[in-house]
Amino acid sequence: MSALRRAQGTSGAQGTSGAQGTNAELFARAQAAIPGGVNSPVRAFRSVGGTPRFLVSARGPYVTDAEGREYVDLVAGWGPAILGHADPRVVEAVQAAAARGLSFGSSTPAETELAELVEARVAPVEQLRLVSTGTEATMSAIRLARGATGRDVLVKFAGHYHGHSDGLLAEAGSGLATFALPGSAGVPADIAALTLVVPYNDLDALAAVFAEHGERIAAVIVEASAANMGVVPPRPGFNRALVELAHAHGALVISDEVLTGFRVSEAGWWGLEARSADTAYTPDLMTFGKVIGGGMPVAALGGRAELMQQLAPLGPVYQAGTLSGNPVAVAAGIATLRAADAEVYGRLDATAATISTAVSEALAAEGVAHAVQRAGNLFSFVFGEELAGGAHDYATVQRQESWRYAPFFHAMLDAGVSLPPSVFEAWFVTAAHDEAAIGRILDALPAAARAAASARPA
């Protein structure tokens, strides 16, 4: 079929729903038009094998594929569907905003409202700049840190993923962990050389880097709690000590809360650690995404006012975006944050505890050595005797029996439960996961655990 005929075949209501053919047929068609058939690598199922599901609708805790099959969803759009898919409050806000216009290229009152909601929840954020993606947020934060300090070198942690901009893909997590790639083609060596990679949760290694390069380091960027190599929380007090060490050398700290922000608590991971004097810390800059867009493309960077005011138009650090603060996307974010109250976070925590405990018990019953990795209501699993006590860094995560995950994943998928298609990703629950949805997950676990137990390395 020609490209013109394919395009013509997607016109009309049926085409816009995407519900034409089986998942396999849709994937074959996508591969002809899109590199790898996907617009984000982990969606290709390369880590687990098999055919990706093409989703056409979602509601509450469920998603439905092009073949009409419904699944209990534990991906939640990679985090933003905190209330559940198509929450009526969010949908109504988006429809009302869309009716007023899709994009203005000018300032709107709603942009300020969303910024104020974020600032009210997270004390270190005195001012906020809206962008469209998490990659854009971290890229802009790094530029700001370099501009503010007059230094060029960035420190990141192995296994932490901060988007796909140049210089951040060295030993990154997420898709790069899935594909076991050390970095990316297309990144000039001179740019990559400005990023120093340190083992996560290793303060001695960080101190050594500062001792050698301290006068050149502009910033340390860190996931507030790692969740892109599976969930790997910081050791108690790690973030606090990191901030103190960086500040002692005149460097800034960028806390990346694109995944954890407003998902693990009302104030993200920072809010959880701020509850104790032993772990409380104040980063210089923070980045957000996912939940603040309610499933639409909104992200942000924020921090101290005098630092943020070095961004254009007030300062010399340039950053801009035609779609930044898009009124429809911002409306989704405002509605989501307004609805995400203490009751919602209580349900998320309880649901995450129920599901992660049940998975662990099912695996243990089949003799599968593993550990549950938890960061608030985010969780994942690592497999193998060596990791039975848990993983605290990227090197340990990579040594796990990752080959057990694919059969586990497909057994759950066959039973109508959609998991992240990689062992190196976090699991996400929503406030809409009720007893019926949880029950379907629990019913699927015994067969999935048996599949993991019988798996063998390739």
Side-chain angles (χ1 to χ4, degrees), residues 193-241:
L194 294 176
T195 301
L196 303 176
V197 183
V198 179
Y200 185 44
N201 273 319
D202 189 338
L203 288 171
D204 290 339
L206 182 63
V209 166
F210 269 109
E212 184 173 354
H213 303 282
E215 293 183 355
R216 301 171 56 224
I217 296 173
V220 179
I221 187 167
V222 59
E223 285 187 63
S225 177
N228 283 287
M229 51 175 161
V231 174
V232 181
R235 295 184 187 275
F238 175 79
N239 285 331
R240 178 183 177 91

Side-chain angles (χ1 to χ4, degrees), residues 235-252:
R235 295 184 187 275
F238 175 79
N239 285 331
R240 178 183 177 91
L242 181 161
V243 170
E244 292 172 350
L245 182 58
H247 287 176
H249 289 270
L252 303 179

Side-chain angles (χ1 to χ4, degrees), residues 15-260:
T16 56
S17 75
Q20 292 195 4
T22 66
N23 290 305
E25 291 168 343
L26 289 168
F27 190 40
R29 177 178 166 188
Q31 288 174 300
I34 301 169
V38 296
N39 286 307
S40 190
V42 76
R43 300 176 191 173
F45 275 34
R46 292 288 182 88
S47 178
V48 294
T51 302
R53 300 304 189 259
F54 279 66
L55 303 183
V56 297
S57 67
R59 184 167 297 278
Y62 303 106
V63 294
T64 302
D65 71 11
E67 298 176 12
R69 187 168 186 200
E70 181 183 81
Y71 304 85
V72 182
D73 185 30
L74 287 170
V75 178
W78 301 107
I82 188 171
L83 306 173
H85 291 288
D87 181 86
R89 294 162 292 186
V90 178
V91 171
E92 182 180 352
V94 167
Q95 290 173 334
R100 294 190 292 269
L102 299 181
S103 185
F104 306 134
S106 297
S107 297
T108 69
E111 296 172 62
T112 303
E113 185 176 353
L114 181 56
E116 290 171 344
L117 285 171
V118 172
E119 291 158 13
R121 286 180 173 228
V122 186
V125 177
E126 296 175 351
Q127 290 194 325
L128 192 80
R129 171 64 62 88
L130 296 179
V131 295
S132 297
T133 70
T135 291
E136 191 181 355
T138 55
M139 176 187 73
S140 301
I142 291 165
R143 181 181 299 164
L144 177 55
R146 285 172 166 157
T149 61
R151 301 174 178 182
D152 294 333
V153 174
L154 177 74
V155 175
K156 75 175 291 287
F157 293 96
H160 286 213
Y161 180 72
H162 305 288
H164 62 268
S165 61
D166 289 357
L168 287 177
L169 292 177
E171 292 193 64
S174 194
L176 288 173
T178 298
F179 297 122
L181 300 177
S184 174
V187 177
D190 290 347
I191 292 177
L194 294 176
T195 301
L196 303 176
V197 183
V198 179
Y200 185 44
N201 273 319
D202 189 338
L203 288 171
D204 290 339
L206 182 63
V209 166
F210 269 109
E212 184 173 354
H213 303 282
E215 293 183 355
R216 301 171 56 224
I217 296 173
V220 179
I221 187 167
V222 59
E223 285 187 63
S225 177
N228 283 287
M229 51 175 161
V231 174
V232 181
R235 295 184 187 275
F238 175 79
N239 285 331
R240 178 183 177 91
L242 181 161
V243 170
E244 292 172 350
L245 182 58
H247 287 176
H249 289 270
L252 303 179
V253 173
I254 303 168
S255 182
D256 183 344
E257 294 236 24
V258 168
L259 272 182
T260 54

Side-chain angles (χ1 to χ4, degrees), residues 128 147 155 239 254 264 269 295 315 359 366 380 398 401-402 418 432:
L128 192 80
V155 175
N239 285 331
I254 303 168
V264 299
W269 187 262
V359 173
E366 296 298 331
S380 65
Q398 289 182 305
E401 296 174 350
S402 57
S418 176

Side-chain angles (χ1 to χ4, degrees), residues 173 212 230 369 372 387:
E212 184 173 354
V372 183
L387 285 81

